[in-house]
């Protein structure tokens, strides 16, 4: 009897996983693309950044590693807020839906290295 029950549990779990119901998102599902806008702000080239959630589920508490980030063009704190040395919180920790993106621009001599550092997967 226990063998049949264990087999059923394995079948149910496999079914859930194969249908995408057991999805866990990570910061690896956060895509960041930086491109030059062509504008100049206070003598510095402007850079456009698009942060996209590529996972099937929402993610929250998205933290970005922005080593040496500087800008002469203000970025709204509702989009990007510094929470530690070279660490920034995206959209105040609010959730980013599957496929959703956040855009911001900054101006500096060269593009900063902006990488996903952490996120919280929201079950879907």
């Amino acid at each position: 009897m226990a063998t049949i029950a264990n087999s059923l549990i394995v079948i149910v779990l496999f079914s859930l996983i194969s249908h995408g119901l057991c999805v866990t998102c990570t910061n690896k599902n956060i895509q960041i693309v930086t491109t030059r806008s062509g504008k100049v702000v206070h003598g510095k080239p402007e850079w456009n950044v698009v942060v996209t959630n590529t996972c099937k589920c929402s993610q929250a508490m998205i933290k970005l590693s922005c080593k040496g980030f500087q800008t002469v063009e203000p970025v709204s704190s509702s989009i990007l807020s510094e929470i530690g040395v070279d660490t920034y919180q995206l959209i105040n920790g609010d959730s980013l839906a599957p496929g959703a993106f956040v855009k911001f621009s900054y101006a500096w001599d060269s593009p900063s290295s902006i990488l996903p550092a952490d996120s919280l997967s929201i079950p879907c």
Side-chain angles (χ1 to χ4, degrees):
M1 187 65 119
T3 305
I4 294 172
N6 288 342
S7 296
L8 286 175
I9 290 171
V10 169
I11 291 169
V12 169
L13 285 175
F14 179 75
S15 177
L16 289 172
I17 291 168
S18 66
H19 287 91
L21 298 176
C22 290
V23 175
T24 300
C25 303
T26 69
N27 61 343
K28 291 179 181 178
N29 299 110
I30 301 296
Q31 178 185 41
I32 301 172
V33 176
T34 302
T35 56
R36 191 166 176 177
S37 75
K39 293 168 61 178
V40 175
V41 179
H42 299 292
K44 310 279 187 191
E46 182 184 63
W47 304 93
N48 293 330
V49 179
V50 179
V51 181
T52 306
N53 177 14
T54 63
C55 191
K56 292 181 181 181
C57 299
S58 295
Q59 293 194 72
M61 303 303 291
I62 299 169
K63 295 177 185 169
L64 305 178
S65 172
C66 307
K67 192 163 184 119
F69 181 75
Q70 296 184 60
T71 182
V72 294
E73 178 180 18
V75 177
S76 172
S77 62
S78 66
I79 294 176
L80 198 64
S81 55
E82 191 170 10
I83 58 172
V85 177
D86 296 331
T87 306
Y88 290 77
Q89 184 88 57
L90 189 69
I91 58 173
N92 295 318
D94 292 340
S95 65
L96 193 59
F101 58 88
V102 175
K103 294 181 179 183
F104 66 92
S105 299
Y106 69 95
W108 198 247
D109 295 319
S110 58
S112 293
S113 174
I114 302 174
L115 302 170
D118 197 15
S119 66
L120 176 65
S121 181
I122 299 174
C124 55

